């Protein structure tokens, strides 16, 4: 659903005749809304219950799909973007992801954690890629006589159906998914690891701010405007990118176990930044797509070790809050990104890629300097 919506929201706005800055503003509104929901999750998850919040999230996804399907005016779309569950990243900026991470983290010890998170991300990446690929079918739907806007609305309704399926699945989670902690342990928020979590949050915020500049919606817009790329081809590119990311997650787990979490994060990220900058100077669509795909293979290798690092350097009862608050700062920091990306795109199509690459490289160097010697806890 996320992979599908990341492309369709931008295409819907363009089909309705909206300029690039409005496309970016929709992405920003979605990320601001995600940030607010993530704060609430971090603050109340253990007192409300992990399973209950996941059920509420699924129902909100249903409302999001129906809201997009029934809206054409920009103010209405802005409200749906802010209140809904879909955002333009198609990645790990999600209000409910910290709950899933906390559930997984208590299932295994430190040695097996990064492998578990890798498999978790493989499933999500492949599903997101399939969602991007499915967006190419809007052209087939149009052959029935529907307009492009009508075909996209039909797929928004499909997102609502995915929310129904998610609701049915999360209701089956067992009681063991709830917090497993000794008597008297803190039930919510951060404790002794607060300083470490906020340091990580500041670093991740830098990375997320940079990433927000070139979210998938902006990349799709770039390929459309610069090379007049067919929407079906764009969907296929994002599917291929997700497939490469899925492979990289498994490789990332092996590298992390051999070279350490932080080393794997940094020394796979730096080359991906160079490839991202290269997109801005690619003279043809095949070269730009090649750089994007090569970058996709490397850019998300940091995800499993990053998620593992967050839940492994805090106490067990702090895991959901730590994942939520680092996710919150990532989400907040990324909110200006789509708007800035749209503005930079108006100046020069390649500008978002160059600015993003430079900022991400600074984050990598700072992370390596501060956390390369930190050891995970049990």
């Amino acid at each position: 659903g996320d992979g599908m919506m990341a492309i369709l929201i931008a295409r819907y706005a363009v089909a309705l005749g909206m300029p690039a800055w409005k496309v970016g503003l929709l992405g920003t509104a979605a990320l601001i809304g995600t940030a607010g929901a993530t704060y609430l999750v971090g603050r109340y998850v253990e007192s409300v219950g992990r399973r209950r919040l996941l059920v509420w999230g699924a129902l909100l996804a249903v409302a999001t799909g129906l809201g997009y399907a029934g809206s054409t005016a920009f103010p209405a779309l802005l409200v749906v973007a802010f209140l809904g569950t879909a955002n333009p990243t198609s990645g790990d900026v999600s209000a409910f992801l910290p709950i899933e991470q906390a559930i997984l983290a208590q299932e295994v010890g430190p040695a097996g954690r990064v492998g578990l998170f890798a498999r978790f991300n493989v499933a999500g990446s492949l599903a997101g890629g399939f969602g991007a690929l499915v967006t190419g079918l809007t052209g087939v739907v149009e052959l029935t006589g529907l307009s492009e806007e009508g075909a996209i609305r039909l797929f928004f309704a499909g997102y609502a159906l995915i929310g129904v399926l998610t609701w049915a699945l999360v209701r089956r989670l067992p009681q063991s998914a709830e917090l497993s902690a000794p008597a008297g342990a803190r039930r919510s928020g951060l404790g002794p690891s607060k300083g470490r979590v906020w340091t990580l949050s500041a670093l991740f915020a830098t990375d997320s701010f940079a990433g927000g500049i070139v979210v998938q919606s902006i990349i799709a817009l770039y390929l459309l405007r610069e090379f007049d790329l067919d929407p079906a081809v764009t969907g296929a590119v994002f599917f291929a990118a997700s497939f490469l990311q899925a492979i990289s997650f498994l490789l990332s787990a092996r590298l992390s176990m051999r070279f350490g979490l932080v080393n794997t994060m940094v020394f796979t990220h730096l080359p991906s930044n160079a490839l991202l900058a290269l997109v801005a100077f690619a003279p043809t669509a095949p070269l730009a797509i090649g750089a994007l795909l090569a970058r996709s293979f490397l850019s998300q290798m940091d995800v499993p070790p990053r998620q593992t690092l967050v839940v492994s350097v805090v106490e067990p009862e702090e895991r959901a809050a730590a994942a939520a608050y680092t996710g919150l700062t990532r989400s907040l920091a990324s909110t200006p990104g789509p708007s800035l990306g749209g503005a930079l795109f108006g100046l020069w199509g390649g500008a978002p890629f160059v600015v993003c690459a430079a900022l991400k490289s600074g984050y990598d160097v700072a992370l390596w300097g501060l956390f390369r010697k930190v050891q995970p806890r049990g």
Side-chain angles (χ1 to χ4, degrees):
D2 289 342
M4 185 174 69
M5 295 293 279
I7 295 177
L8 288 182
I9 292 172
R11 282 186 54 197
Y12 190 53
V14 171
L16 292 172
M18 296 180 186
W21 69 267
K22 284 191 175 181
V23 178
L25 194 56
L26 284 175
T28 295
L31 291 170
I32 292 175
T34 299
T38 303
Y39 169 77
L40 295 175
V41 167
R43 181 67 182 86
Y44 299 109
V45 56
E46 304 301 0
S47 55
V48 173
R50 296 172 178 178
R51 293 176 298 169
R52 181 178 296 176
L53 280 179
L54 288 176
V55 166
W56 292 353
L59 294 176
L60 184 58
V62 175
T64 300
L66 296 178
Y68 274 114
S71 303
T72 55
F74 179 69
L77 289 172
L78 207 60
V79 171
V80 176
F82 176 76
L83 296 176
T85 57
N87 68 64
T89 63
S90 182
D92 63 336
V93 178
S94 166
F96 302 98
L97 184 65
I99 305 175
E100 299 165 2
Q101 293 172 353
I103 292 171
L104 291 175
Q106 70 185 26
E107 294 295 319
V108 295
R113 202 166 284 152
V114 68
L116 182 61
F117 275 111
R119 295 191 295 275
F120 172 68
N121 284 283
V122 165
S125 181
L126 289 177
F130 180 72
L133 187 64
V134 163
T135 62
L137 296 177
T138 53
V140 177
V141 175
E142 289 175 46
L143 295 177
T144 65
L146 278 177
S147 64
E148 182 181 11
E149 296 96 319
I152 293 174
R153 288 192 197 105
L154 189 63
F155 279 74
F156 287 155
Y159 180 79
L161 291 177
I162 291 173
V164 174
L165 175 62
T166 304
W167 170 82
L169 290 171
V170 296
R171 281 178 57 87
R172 296 174 59 86
L173 283 171
Q175 178 63 32
S176 60
E178 302 296 348
L179 174 66
S180 175
R186 291 171 60 91
R187 295 295 297 177
S188 63
L190 296 173
S193 307
K194 183 180 296 185
R196 179 171 286 178
V197 170
W198 291 129
T199 301
L200 283 171
S201 296
L203 290 169
F204 295 161
T206 303
D207 179 49
S208 189
F209 171 76
I213 296 173
V214 288
V215 293
Q216 282 195 349
S217 299
I218 295 296
I219 296 175
L221 189 63
Y222 177 79
L223 294 175
L224 176 65
R225 297 283 177 87
E226 285 292 311
F227 304 111
D228 194 26
L229 206 64
D230 184 85
V233 176
T234 303
V237 169
F238 284 124
F239 173 77
S242 296
F243 182 77
L244 290 172
Q245 288 172 9
I247 297 173
S248 76
F249 289 147
L250 298 176
L251 180 58
S252 170
R254 291 181 177 272
L255 292 175
S256 296
M257 287 185 284
R258 180 168 182 178
F259 299 107
L261 299 174
V262 174
N263 285 337
T264 301
M265 293 169 66
V266 171
F267 294 108
T268 58
H269 224 219
L270 287 172
S272 78
N273 299 336
L275 288 165
L276 183 64
L278 184 62
V279 173
F281 303 99
T284 65
L287 287 175
I289 291 171
L292 283 171
L293 292 178
R295 183 246 178 178
S296 295
F297 180 70
L298 294 172
S299 66
Q300 299 299 300
M301 274 195 185
D302 72 318
V303 174
R306 187 189 72 229
Q307 294 172 346
T308 304
L309 182 70
V310 169
V311 298
S312 298
V313 297
V314 299
E315 300 300 326
E317 62 272 15
E318 298 176 292
R319 285 172 180 159
Y325 291 141
T326 53
L328 170 62
T329 54
R330 281 172 52 78
S331 184
L332 282 173
S334 66
T335 52
S339 295
L340 177 58
L344 290 171
F345 183 85
L347 298 175
W348 170 47
F353 300 92
V354 174
V355 172
C356 175
L359 289 172
K360 279 181 170 288
S361 297
Y363 150 76
D364 291 325
V365 173
L367 177 68
W368 189 79
L370 291 172
F371 279 89
R372 68 184 187 275
K373 295 182 179 179
V374 174
Q375 297 298 316
R377 298 177 184 174

